[in-house]
Every structure is written in structure tokens, then in C-alpha cells.
Amino acid sequence: QVQFVESGGGLVQPGGSLRLTCAASISIFSIYRMAWYRQAPGKQREMFARITPGGDTYYADSVKGRFTVSRDNAKKTVSLQMDGLKSEDTAVYYCNTFPTRGGWGQGTQVTVSS
């Protein structure tokens, strides 16, 4: 059974930083592309960052240059360093494989507000 547990969200002022972590309960974690998704109020969930087993990354234009995704295959975790946060980054953040498999975790709320 595939499970994901996200943590590290919170309330931060514009321009601030947060680091999110996702613990994956998944066999052979190292073979999967992993991704971060987010869902803002009233919007569909979107994938905005992903990382291959070898560490190659992709970022949507909306976060490029501000967010950094990384992974630790031994610990089965994927992290997201978010710098230069903007109000439009406010959302619930999730991780999953790419493409997705299994269910979604509970997510972690990120609120960017002064």
C-alpha cells in the first residue's frame, strides 16, 4: 500500500521560506519519479515540481528559481525548499509519484500572508 505523509507547512510572510518534507511508504522508492503537487482554494490540484530517481528536476514557471526539490532514496523522503514565497503560493501541498499512484496524503497547508 502506497502512503505519503507531508509535513513542514505553516504561516509565513511574503518573501519568507519554508521547507516541506514527504515521507513515502512505498517499496523500491528509488525507481519512482516523485513530484510535489498543490491545490489552492477553488483551483484544481497541479503538479509544479518533480525529480527523477537520478536527481534531474523539473519546475513549473510559477516556482522556477524559488523552489528546490530534492530526495533521499535511502530514507524514502522527498523535500521541497521554498524561498521567496508569494501570496499565490498559498495552497495545500502534497507529494506523490509522477504519474500518481496510490492515494493522496493529508497534505500540508502553506499560507503566505502578511
Side-chain angles (χ1 to χ4, degrees), residues 59-77:
Y59 300 96
D61 287 344
S62 58
V63 306
K64 193 175 298 181
R66 300 187 297 121
F67 291 8
T68 303
V69 59
S70 60
R71 65 189 293 161
D72 186 327
N73 289 334
K75 295 181 179 179
K76 297 187 178 182
T77 60

Side-chain angles (χ1 to χ4, degrees), residues 39-105:
Q39 186 167 20
K43 295 186 177 180
Q44 290 189 332
R45 184 152 36 199
E46 62 169 355
M47 188 280 293
F48 63 90
R50 64 178 185 257
I51 185 167
T52 68
D56 293 329
T57 56
Y58 160 85
Y59 300 96
D61 287 344
S62 58
V63 306
K64 193 175 298 181
R66 300 187 297 121
F67 291 8
T68 303
V69 59
S70 60
R71 65 189 293 161
D72 186 327
N73 289 334
K75 295 181 179 179
K76 297 187 178 182
T77 60
V78 58
S79 298
L80 182 70
Q81 177 65 41
M82 305 188 295
D83 300 315
L85 283 160
K86 304 176 180 180
S87 59
E88 52 262 44
D89 295 318
T90 295
V92 180
Y93 285 68
Y94 305 86
C95 72
N96 208 312
T97 57
F98 181 81
T100 62
R101 67 187 299 265
W104 294 94

